[in-house]
Amino acid sequence: MAGSGQGSATQVGVIRTDTRTMTVAPLTVDLESGSIWSGTYAMFRLGAHHILEGADHLLFLLILLLPAPLRASGKRWTGLTDTRTAVGRIGRTTLAFTVGHSAALALSAFGNLDIPAQPVEAFIAFSILVGAVHAIRPLFPGREAVVAGVFGLGHGIAFSLALAEMHLSTSQLALSLAGFNLGIECMQLLLVLLALPSLVCLTRLPRHSALRTACATLTALAALGWLLDRLGLPNPVARAADSAGAHTSPLLLALVTTALLATAWLATTGRPDRSWRFAHRS
């Protein structure tokens, strides 16, 4: 990734990891023709693009946020919390995930840790599977932020694999890490903000329990397919999930459209009836 002297950024390649063979395609990086800041901006763009292409990273965070507006009783999700509590949970979970993967990204990048890619990718698939089960039946209600932080460590190590392949010097690595991580965080925050209205809206629908279960089940199937695939058992489910995640533009457009519709619906319907909030059962 190199920037030009006029302040624009030029993308010379995208680091791609084949999760089935655990190999990274060769990539030549030319930093001679660019300035420090334009190169850092280019790494910012790479980080943002990495999140858009990393469907598994984003899917983990979103599935963990899915039950945030709900309250748990025993082994069931029963009714809704108030909006402030839901937004607080979403904020803490997102922040914990950010801190976890940022710390692991820095540690593995500067520590030159030689960690095999296959178990890391399998760990990520497992984290999504756990999040999907939790969205159906509460496994760790109220502790989503802690779980997000722990699993975020594994996701951060996966992010560091991209930087490791560039073989940067210490000074280059510091700026590249800052730009790359900032790009990840900004894009992640944007996508969470876009998903927030839909998450709140979903829990106000009459059949929200069935919709939540359907979303979580599809996510669990994709995660299981990825897990088997990354353990050396290729399957059509993983290929279908990879194919869906590769079409980022339609997915982003759908997310924006859903966010706008959900915001408009919430603005017109107002607050849900209090008796329904606590009497409704999922």
Side-chain angles (χ1 to χ4, degrees), residues 70 76-77 135-137 202-203 205-215 280-282:
L70 304 176
R76 293 176 59 85
W77 295 112
I136 298 174
R137 286 289 181 267
L202 178 64
T203 56
L205 298 176
R207 300 293 298 171
H208 79 85
S209 178
L211 290 173
R212 171 172 47 82
T213 301
C215 292
H280 185 77
R281 292 292 181 268
S282 60

Side-chain angles (χ1 to χ4, degrees), residues 17-47:
T17 302
D18 188 329
T19 56
R20 284 178 288 277
T21 62
M22 290 300 117
T23 58
V24 178
L27 175 65
T28 301
V29 180
D30 179 15
L31 298 177
E32 295 181 359
S33 60
S35 68
I36 291 177
W37 296 112
S38 56
T40 303
Y41 173 65
M43 292 302 297
F44 173 90
R45 293 179 58 188
L46 178 61

Side-chain angles (χ1 to χ4, degrees), residues 52 187 190-191 194 247-258:
L52 285 177
M187 181 56 67
L190 174 62
L191 294 174
L194 287 175
H247 297 83
T248 55
S249 295
L251 291 176
L252 186 59
L253 178 61
L255 188 59
V256 171
T257 302
T258 304

Side-chain angles (χ1 to χ4, degrees), residues 51-52 58 61-62 65 90 94 185-202 248-264 266:
I51 274 290
L52 285 177
L58 186 60
L61 181 58
L62 292 180
L65 295 179
I90 291 173
T94 303
E185 306 313 333
C186 288
M187 181 56 67
Q188 177 179 281
L189 178 61
L190 174 62
L191 294 174
V192 169
L193 290 176
L194 287 175
L196 181 58
S198 301
L199 291 173
V200 176
C201 179
L202 178 64
T248 55
S249 295
L251 291 176
L252 186 59
L253 178 61
L255 188 59
V256 171
T257 302
T258 304
L260 292 175
L261 292 175
T263 301
L266 290 172

Side-chain angles (χ1 to χ4, degrees), residues 260-277:
L260 292 175
L261 292 175
T263 301
W265 187 81
L266 290 172
T268 56
T269 57
R271 297 173 64 87
D273 180 74
R274 184 176 178 84
S275 61
W276 177 85
R277 181 190 303 166

